[in-house]
């Protein structure tokens, strides 16, 4: 705002400078008027063009504005208060109010009003005029000073409110980031370490039961002990992977490219391992053009899809008491579909995410959160089947960038 005031002031001085030079007395008067024109024009131009650099100097030294006011009074005496220099006089208390608050506004408004009264009295000597006309410009100076001080206070309050709003937004963003990271860690722990430790506990229970039998079988005890050992090592490896992911620097170690994650090969391998481990019948249905390469998915989306499919398979084995699981992948334009259906008991009536959270079951909640992170749509229910549970995921595929034609 100070820069704009100096720009307006510069324009008014340029317009009235010829009148000041023509009306100046020969000799010393012309020299003083010329020096006043040069000084006021240069000061106004410098502060208008580079306020950020020279403005702090004006803030620290109010005497500079007082000296500029003195040079402006030479022009006012030469050109007269009836010219556009009157607007320059009003600019001075306005600037003082903006820069120095109400004390500076009061000081410079009084100084400029006194100068205007003296100039008006000296130039209008012998020609009586109404008092209201003589006090018009001094009154405008007082009003301009009050306006400058008021605008300064408003801008300071607005700046404080903006700073408070920025701080609140930063705190809210930090809280949201912490909440999102906690949810991510909960999902990762549920889908990896927690399940593995659950398997370790089951294997240890089987080992204890076998060892406490009347005639324990050494070969069976050895197999169960090896199972416990493998599961414990797997839990330790998953814990190290989780810690490494927490320590990873995204700038130095960016996420792998989508082609480095063979999603559909991993999904087929995961379903085969699931069937072999659980004894359930698992069938996979791929599009007709398989094994042609599927459209590439971003690395985070691919990991979320694989985690959702794994959780759906585990739920079919643990909770649904299913005997058969069908995994079906469809491709419809730019929409990739993944459906996992089991012939188990299905979801209990009235199942909601909030109720599952209260009961300490976080698997389905993690599936919904992962689908939201991947920008996909997830539906969990019976679907079009008579029984069982179907988890259907619709993933929008990234559209390829248009190719720029190459002119031969």
């Amino acid at each position: 705002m100070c820069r704009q005031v100096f720009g307006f002031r510069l324009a008014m001085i340029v317009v009235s400078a010829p009148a000041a030079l023509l009306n100046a007395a020969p000799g010393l008067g012309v020299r003083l008027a010329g020096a006043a024109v040069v000084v006021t024009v240069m000061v106004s131009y410098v502060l208008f063009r580079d306020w950020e650099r020279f403005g702090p100097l004006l803030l620290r030294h109010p005497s500079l504005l007082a000296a500029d006011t003195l040079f402006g009074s030479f022009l006012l005496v030469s050109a007269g208060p009836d010219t556009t220099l009157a607007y320059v006089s009003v600019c001075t208390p306005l600037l003082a109010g903006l820069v120095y608050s109400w004390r500076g506004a009061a000081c410079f408004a009084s100084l400029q009003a006194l100068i205007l009264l003296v100039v008006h009295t000296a130039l209008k000597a012998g020609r009586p005029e109404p008092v209201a006309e003589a006090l018009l410009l001094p009154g405008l100076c007082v009003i301009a000073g009050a306006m400058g001080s008021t605008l300064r206070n408003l801008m300071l309050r607005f700046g404080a409110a903006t700073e408070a709003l920025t701080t609140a937004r930063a705190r809210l963003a930090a809280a949201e980031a912490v909440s999102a990271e906690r949810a991510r860690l909960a999902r990762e722990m549920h889908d990896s370490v927690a399940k593995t430790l659950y398997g370790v506990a089951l294997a240890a229970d089987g080992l204890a039961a076998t060892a406490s039998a009347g005639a324990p079988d050494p070969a069976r005890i050895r197999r169960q002990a090896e199972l416990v050992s493998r599961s414990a090592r797997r839990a330790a490896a998953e814990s190290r992977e989780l810690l490494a992911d927490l320590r990873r620097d995204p700038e130095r170690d960016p996420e792998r490219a989508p082609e480095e994650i063979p999603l559909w090969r991993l999904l087929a391998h995961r379903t085969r391992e699931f069937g072999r481990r659980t004894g359930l019948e698992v069938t996979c249905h791929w599009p007709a053009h398989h094994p042609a390469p599927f459209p590439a998915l971003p690395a985070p989306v691919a990991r979320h899809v694989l985690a959702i499919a794994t959780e759906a398979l585990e739920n079919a084995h643990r909770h649904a008491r299913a005997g058969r699981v069908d995994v079906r992948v469809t491709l419809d334009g730019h929409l990739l579909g993944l459906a996992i259906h089991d012939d188990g008991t299905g979801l209990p009536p009235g199942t909601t995410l909030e109720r599952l959270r209260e009961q300490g079951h976080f698997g389905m909640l993690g599936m919904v959160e992962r689908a939201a992170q991947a920008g996909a749509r997830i539906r969990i229910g019976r679907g079009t089947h008579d029984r069982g549970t179907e988890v259907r995921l619709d993933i929008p595929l990234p559209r390829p960038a248009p190719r720029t034609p190459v002119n031969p």
Side-chain angles (χ1 to χ4, degrees):
M1 186 171 290
C2 291
R3 173 183 285 146
Q4 300 304 319
V5 173
F6 273 110
F8 175 78
R9 183 174 180 266
L10 175 62
M12 294 298 100
I13 293 175
V14 170
V15 170
S16 60
L21 294 175
L22 291 175
N23 295 333
L28 182 60
V30 174
R31 295 189 183 90
L32 289 176
V37 169
V38 172
V39 171
T40 53
V41 167
M42 291 301 298
V43 169
S44 300
Y45 174 75
V46 168
L47 291 172
F48 171 72
R49 189 175 183 274
D50 200 356
W51 169 261
E52 287 79 7
R53 181 179 179 183
F54 296 101
L57 188 63
L58 186 65
L59 290 172
R60 291 193 299 267
H61 302 286
S63 57
L64 295 177
L65 186 59
D68 179 79
T69 304
L70 179 62
F71 278 99
S73 64
F74 295 154
L75 293 178
L76 191 62
V77 171
S78 177
D82 297 333
T83 61
T84 53
L85 281 173
Y87 298 105
V88 177
S89 303
V90 174
C91 289
T92 300
L94 178 61
L95 283 169
L98 290 172
V99 177
Y100 306 121
S101 186
W102 64 271
R103 292 184 178 86
C107 178
F108 280 91
S110 302
L111 176 62
Q112 193 65 63
L114 179 61
I115 292 175
L116 287 170
L117 286 175
V118 171
V119 172
H120 190 276
T121 302
L123 295 180
K124 302 294 183 178
R127 291 180 292 172
E129 292 186 358
V131 178
E133 183 177 348
L135 297 179
L136 177 61
L137 287 177
L140 287 177
C141 290
V142 175
I143 295 174
M147 289 178 57
S149 177
T150 303
L151 288 174
R152 172 189 171 88
N153 293 333
L154 289 176
M155 287 187 293
L156 289 177
R157 292 179 182 178
F158 179 76
T162 303
E163 184 178 358
L165 179 61
T166 303
T167 303
R169 286 180 175 176
R171 292 178 179 175
L172 180 60
E176 291 179 350
V178 171
S179 178
E181 184 64 14
R182 291 179 60 183
R184 187 186 72 84
L185 288 176
R187 291 193 300 269
E188 296 295 339
M189 293 184 66
H190 177 274
D191 295 341
S192 58
V193 180
K195 290 182 178 180
T196 305
L197 291 178
Y198 180 76
V200 171
L202 292 179
D205 291 340
L207 176 61
T210 303
S212 61
D217 184 3
R220 185 177 181 183
I221 291 177
R222 184 171 58 255
R223 289 194 303 270
Q224 291 179 338
E226 290 175 353
L227 177 60
V228 173
S229 176
R230 287 196 306 269
S231 300
R233 285 195 295 269
R234 181 180 176 186
E238 291 173 348
S239 300
R240 285 194 298 271
E241 291 179 2
L242 190 60
L243 291 174
D245 183 64
L246 291 175
R247 296 289 186 180
R248 181 177 60 86
D249 188 354
E251 296 182 357
R252 296 184 179 181
D253 184 20
E255 294 182 286
R256 293 181 298 173
E259 58 269 18
E260 296 180 7
I261 300 180
L263 172 64
W264 309 112
R265 191 182 308 166
L266 287 177
L267 182 58
H269 175 73
R270 191 70 56 91
T271 55
R272 288 195 299 269
E273 288 294 322
F274 173 78
R276 183 187 59 80
R277 176 170 54 87
T278 61
L280 296 180
E281 182 182 354
V282 182
T283 57
C284 297
H285 306 275
W286 310 100
H289 64 273
H290 189 73
F294 284 89
L297 288 177
V301 176
R303 281 193 286 269
H304 286 311
V305 172
L306 186 62
I308 291 173
T310 304
E311 180 65 22
L313 293 173
E314 293 293 338
N315 288 341
H317 169 60
R318 292 186 182 182
H319 307 295
R321 296 192 295 274
R324 177 186 175 88
V325 180
D326 291 327
V327 179
R328 186 177 300 272
V329 177
T330 58
L331 186 60
D332 183 10
H334 291 280
L335 191 65
L336 188 66
L338 172 63
I340 302 174
H341 173 256
D342 64 74
D343 60 353
T345 57
L347 294 174
T351 300
T352 62
L353 292 178
E354 188 62 31
R355 180 174 297 181
L356 291 175
R357 186 201 300 269
E358 293 174 356
Q359 295 174 355
H361 302 298
F362 303 105
M364 194 175 296
L365 177 63
M367 294 167 65
V368 174
E369 291 178 347
R370 286 186 181 276
Q373 291 288 328
R377 178 185 179 187
I378 187 171
R379 288 172 286 181
I380 305 175
R382 186 176 298 176
T384 59
H385 306 277
D386 296 332
R387 57 171 298 180
T389 305
E390 181 186 66
V391 177
R392 180 167 184 82
L393 195 65
D394 295 323
I395 310 112
L397 297 175
R399 296 181 179 271
R403 296 182 178 179
T404 303
V406 179
N407 295 326

